[in-house]
C-alpha cells in the first residue's frame, strides 16, 4: 500500500475493539521466559513485528541477530545474549544503527561482557564476544536515559552471581516502564528493593520461577481510539482487554483524554469510551509516557486546544526524530508545534482550519506512531496517510479495525 485515504464517518460510531497485545509487556515477558529456560506459558503474545522479531531471534542459533527497527528488541537482546554468554552480531536497519546504545554497552562491559563496535563507537552494529563475570554488582547510570537500558539490565540482574544494584542519577524518565519491568520480574519470583527516594534499584541473585503469564492489551494502541472518540461527532467505543490497574505507563491516556473530551468507564471486559466536553487548554509532562505525545498533539491541534508539552526530549531518538516529524506534519493541518524553551517546553497551537484542497498528505517517516496518530484526523476531514504499512511494527490490525468505524481506500 502506498497511501490510505481516510474519510469522515457518515454515522454515529458504536464499536467494540479487541486491541492488540502490549508489545512492551510482551517483550519483557519473552526475555524473562527465556531466562527461565523457556519453561513459562505465555498467552496473548503480541503480533506486533517488534515482538515477533524478539520471539524469532530468541529461538534462533544464527550468528547475526537482525532486530530490523525494534529498539526494545535491540536493547533487551543485547543484555540477554551478553549475560548468557552467546556470541552474536547485533544489527538492524540504517535508522536502528543511528540510535545510541553506548550507555547499555558500557554498563554490560562493567559487568563482564566483551562487546566491540563494528562501525561507529556507541552505535550498532555490535559484536558480542562472550561474558566473564567481573565481580562488579553495582552500577551508576543517568536516570534520564532510555528506560529500555535500565530494564534490560534489571531483567538480567538475577542471573548475576551477586545480583545487581543500580543507582540512577538525576531525574528518572519513563519510570512506569521501569516499574512494569520490576512487577513482571516479581511475577516470576524475583524480589527487589526499589528505593525511589534515593533512586536505587536492588535485585538479588535468584533463579526465575516458571509461571503462566497473560499479556495485557496495549494501552499505546488504545490511545488512537481515544483520539477517534475525541474527534468524532458522536462516538462510543469499548476497548477490550484493558485493566484499570495496568502496569503500562501509557494508561495515562485515561487522565489526559479526560481534558480533551473523552471519559473512561472500566467494565468487566475493558474500558468504555464516551464523549464529554473538552477543556480549552492542557499542559502535560510526557516524561513517563512519551509515546503518547504524538497522539495528544494531533488531537489538540484538530480540536483547537492549546497544548503545552514537556518531557518529550526522548522523542528525538525514536524511530524517527518525532519532534521534527510532528512539526512538519502539523503544519499540513494548519497547526504548529513550537519550541518555547529549548529541549524542554513545546506548545501546539492551531492557526487555521484543516485545508481541504488539496487533501493533506501525511508523511510517516517509517514511524508507526505517526501513521496511527494522524489517521484519526479522518474523523473530521479527509486525510491521506503515506506508507500506511508501518503500523505492522506495533498494531498490525490497525487499518482493519479502523474500517469498523469509518471508510478508507488505498490510493
Amino acid at each position: 500500500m502506498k497511501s490510505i485515504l481516510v474519510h469522515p464517518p457518515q454515522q454515529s460510531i458504536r464499536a467494540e475493539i479487541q486491541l492488540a497485545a502490549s508489545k512492551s509487556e510482551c517483550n519483557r515477558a519473552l526475555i524473562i521466559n527465556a531466562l527461565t529456560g523457556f519453561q513459562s506459558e505465555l498467552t496473548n503474545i503480541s503480533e506486533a513485528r517488534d515482538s515477533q522479531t524478539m520471539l524469532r531471534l530468541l529461538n534462533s542459533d544464527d550468528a547475526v541477530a537482525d532486530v530490523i527497527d525494534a529498539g526494545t528488541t535491540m536493547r533487551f537482546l543485547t543484555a540477554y545474549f551478553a549475560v548468557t554468554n552467546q556470541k552474536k552480531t547485533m544489527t538492524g536497519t540504517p535508522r536502528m544503527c543511528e540510535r545510541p546504545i553506548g550507555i547499555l554497552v558500557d554498563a554490560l562491559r562493567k559487568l563482564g561482557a566483551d562487546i566491540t563496535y563494528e562501525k561507529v563507537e556507541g552505535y550498532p552494529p555490535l559484536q558480542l564476544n562472550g561474558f566473564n563475570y567481573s565481580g562488579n554488582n553495582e552500577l551508576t547510570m543517568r536516570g534520564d536515559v532510555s528506560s529500555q537500558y535500565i530494564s534490560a539490565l534489571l531483567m538480567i540482574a538475577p542471573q548475576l552471581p551477586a545480583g545487581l544494584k543500580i543507582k540512577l542519577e538525576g531525574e528518572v524518565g519513563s519510570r512506569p516502564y521501569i516499574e512494569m519491568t520490576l512487577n513482571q520480574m516479581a511475577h516470576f519470583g524475583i524480589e527487589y528493593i526499589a528505593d525511589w527516594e534515593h533512586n536505587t534499584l536492588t535485585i538479588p541473585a535468584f533463579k526465575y520461577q516458571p509461571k503462566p503469564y497473560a499479556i495485557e492489551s496495549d494501552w499505546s494502541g488504545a490511545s488512537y481510539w481515544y483520539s477517534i472518540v475525541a474527534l468524532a461527532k458522536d462516538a462510543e467505543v469499548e476497548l477490550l482487554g484493558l485493566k484499570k490497574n495496568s502496569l503500562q505507563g501509557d494508561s495515562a491516556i485515561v487522565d489526559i483524554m479526560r481534558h480533551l473530551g473523552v471519559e473512561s468507564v472500566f467494565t468487566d471486559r475493558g474500558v468504555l469510551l464516551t464523549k464529554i466536553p473538552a477543556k480549552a487548554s492542557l499542559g502535560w509532562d510526557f516524561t513517563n509516557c512519551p509515546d503518547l505525545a504524538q497522539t495528544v498533539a494531533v488531537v489538540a491541534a484538530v480540536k483547537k486546544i492549546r497544548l503545552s508539552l514537556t518531557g518529550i526530549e526522548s522523542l528525538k531518538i525514536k524511530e524517527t526524530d518525532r519532534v521534527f516529524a510532528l512539526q512538519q506534519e502539523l503544519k499540513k493541518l494548519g497547526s504548529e508545534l513550537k519550541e518555547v524553551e529549548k529541549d524542554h517546553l513545546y506548545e501546539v497551537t492551531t492557526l487555521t482550519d484543516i485545508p481541504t484542497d488539496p487533501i493533506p498528505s501525511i508523511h510517516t517517516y517509517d514511524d508507526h506512531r505517526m501513521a496511527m496518530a494522524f489517521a484519526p484526523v479522518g474523523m473530521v476531514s479527509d486525510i491521506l496517510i503515506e506508507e500506511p504499512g508501518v503500523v505492522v511494527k506495533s498494531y498490525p490490525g490497525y487499518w482493519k479495525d479502523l474500517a469498523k468505524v469509518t471508510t478508507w481506500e488505498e490510493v
Side-chain angles (χ1 to χ4, degrees):
M1 289 185 286
K2 277 293 182 183
S3 296
I4 277 179
L5 177 60
V6 183
H7 303 292
Q10 298 303 303
Q11 63 277 326
S12 298
I13 291 174
R14 299 290 183 270
E16 293 178 359
I17 302 297
Q18 179 61 61
L19 289 167
S22 165
K23 72 182 181 73
S24 297
E25 269 198 36
C26 185
N27 286 359
R28 286 160 172 78
L30 288 171
I31 290 290
I32 293 171
N33 181 43
L35 290 167
T36 70
F38 301 94
Q39 297 181 65
S40 298
E41 181 188 351
L42 305 182
T43 53
N44 197 32
I45 289 177
S46 174
E47 294 180 0
R49 186 174 66 192
D50 282 16
S51 296
Q52 291 299 310
T53 299
M54 174 85 81
L55 191 59
R56 173 176 57 82
L57 294 177
L58 282 169
N59 289 285
S60 171
D61 292 327
D62 291 349
V64 176
D66 185 349
V67 305
I68 313 175
D69 59 353
T72 309
T73 304
M74 169 64 80
R75 289 148 184 178
F76 289 2
L77 283 180
T78 295
Y80 169 76
F81 287 142
V83 80
T84 53
N85 200 30
Q86 298 187 52
K87 294 177 172 60
K88 295 276 186 178
T89 300
M90 304 295 302
T91 190
T93 62
R95 173 60 183 171
M96 187 69 251
C97 293
E98 292 174 353
R99 297 177 68 179
I101 198 169
I103 291 172
L104 176 60
V105 169
D106 289 347
L108 290 169
R109 283 172 169 172
K110 289 175 184 175
L111 298 176
D114 181 355
I115 304 175
T116 55
Y117 296 107
E118 295 211 323
K119 291 183 180 178
V120 180
E121 191 80 8
Y123 297 85
L126 314 169
Q127 179 61 46
L128 308 182
N129 302 305
F131 189 84
N132 185 16
Y133 181 55
S134 65
N136 185 11
N137 69 338
E138 291 193 16
L139 294 172
T140 299
M141 300 176 67
R142 284 170 45 197
D144 62 350
V145 298
S146 172
S147 63
Q148 294 173 10
Y149 301 146
I150 300 164
S151 289
L153 293 166
L154 289 173
M155 286 188 288
I156 65 166
Q159 302 293 115
L160 300 171
L164 184 63
K165 180 177 181 179
I166 302 177
K167 169 68 176 173
L168 301 176
E169 294 184 324
E171 185 177 354
V172 178
S174 298
R175 177 172 151 182
Y177 286 97
I178 299 172
E179 291 178 325
M180 177 197 295
T181 304
L182 291 169
N183 278 304
Q184 285 185 252
M185 291 169 62
H187 176 84
F188 292 93
I190 303 302
E191 296 181 359
Y192 64 87
I193 300 172
D195 180 355
W196 292 111
E197 184 178 349
H198 299 99
N199 287 342
T200 59
L201 306 171
T202 306
I203 314 291
F206 198 75
K207 191 172 182 180
Y208 281 107
Q209 304 302 303
K211 285 186 178 180
Y213 188 82
I215 295 153
E216 185 187 7
S217 292
D218 185 27
W219 274 101
S220 305
S223 74
Y224 311 115
W225 289 96
Y226 276 85
S227 295
I228 287 166
V229 173
L231 297 179
K233 286 183 180 178
D234 181 32
E236 189 174 283
V237 174
E238 187 172 14
L239 303 176
L240 308 181
L242 296 172
K243 303 172 187 174
K244 187 172 185 178
N245 298 314
S246 175
L247 300 180
Q248 299 174 54
D250 283 354
S251 60
I253 196 68
V254 171
D255 295 326
I256 296 172
M257 282 293 182
R258 195 170 286 123
H259 297 272
L260 302 185
V262 183
E263 185 59 84
S264 304
V265 177
F266 284 88
T267 70
D268 58 356
R269 302 192 302 171
V271 60
L272 180 66
L273 313 186
T274 56
K275 292 183 70 68
I276 57 174
K279 308 293 185 184
S281 63
L282 172 66
W284 203 269
D285 180 0
F286 289 87
T287 299
N288 290 327
C289 52
D291 285 345
L292 298 179
Q294 291 148 289
T295 308
V296 176
V298 172
V299 172
V302 175
K303 291 177 74 77
K304 301 181 179 178
I305 296 169
R306 190 174 188 88
L307 174 66
S308 298
L309 309 89
T310 55
I312 65 172
E313 298 76 33
S314 66
L315 297 186
K316 295 181 178 181
I317 58 167
K318 295 285 189 175
E319 283 78 350
T320 186
D321 180 340
R322 287 177 172 168
V323 173
F324 173 80
L326 272 174
Q327 288 172 327
Q328 300 309 303
E329 303 313 303
L330 284 175
K331 290 177 186 174
K332 299 175 182 178
L333 304 183
S335 301
E336 69 173 359
L337 173 64
K338 185 177 181 181
E339 188 175 38
V340 179
E341 295 178 25
K342 184 169 175 57
D343 291 330
H344 175 63
L345 176 63
Y346 297 80
E347 286 185 355
V348 172
T349 52
T350 305
L351 307 175
T352 67
D353 290 337
I354 299 171
T356 57
D357 188 18
I359 296 169
S361 183
I362 303 300
H363 185 51
T364 51
Y365 302 82
D366 202 24
D367 182 353
H368 55 135
R369 302 209 185 281
M370 286 297 290
M372 294 185 285
F374 277 85
V377 176
M379 297 300 104
V380 299
S381 179
D382 285 344
I383 191 82
L384 198 65
I385 306 295
E386 300 172 12
E387 303 296 341
V390 292
V391 302
V392 71
K393 181 175 172 62
S394 64
Y395 190 165
Y398 180 74
W399 300 113
K400 182 179 178 182
D401 283 348
L402 187 63
K404 296 174 183 177
V405 299
T406 196
T407 57
W408 56 259
E409 59 189 299
E410 296 179 32
V411 296

